[in-house]
Amino acid sequence: MPWVNKYERSDGTPVRGYFRWAPGARRDAAILATVALAAIGMNNGTGGTGGGNGRNPQPPTTVQYPITSENSTTQVKRPQPTVSYPIPWASGGAR
């Protein structure tokens, strides 16, 4: 950005010094800011945690497989019908 020194207009109005953007510099700065925001947004959601490996830290599992019941004589409860009358199903399978 070039610096414009203070000057006086032809009608006598004083103008203080200021920076002036070069032609096309605003557009370039907007593109750069958009790319920077996109790069920050695509940070894989790490948020600075997890050592930057892209995964969130999780505690170790405490479950042991296969899961078995202590009482092996437990019977599975079958679902009960919700209606007391028979429902006639169409023979021949699904259509």
Side-chain angles (χ1 to χ4, degrees), residues 2 4 14-15 23-24 30 32 39 47 49-50 57 61 70 72 78 80 88:
V4 178
V15 178
L32 180 65
T49 61
T61 182
E70 293 179 12
S72 62
R78 306 289 288 179
Q80 297 294 319

Side-chain angles (χ1 to χ4, degrees), residues 25-35:
R26 290 186 193 268
R27 178 181 174 273
D28 293 345
I31 291 173
L32 180 65
T34 303
V35 170

Side-chain angles (χ1 to χ4, degrees), residues 89-95:
W89 298 100
S91 61
R95 294 182 190 199

Side-chain angles (χ1 to χ4, degrees), residues 53-91:
N53 59 2
R55 295 179 298 171
N56 291 330
Q58 296 179 350
T61 182
T62 58
V63 69
Q64 298 202 1
Y65 293 101
I67 299 174
T68 57
S69 176
E70 293 179 12
N71 185 0
S72 62
T73 61
T74 304
Q75 293 186 2
V76 177
K77 185 174 182 180
R78 306 289 288 179
Q80 297 294 319
T82 57
V83 295
S84 60
Y85 53 89
I87 299 175
W89 298 100
S91 61

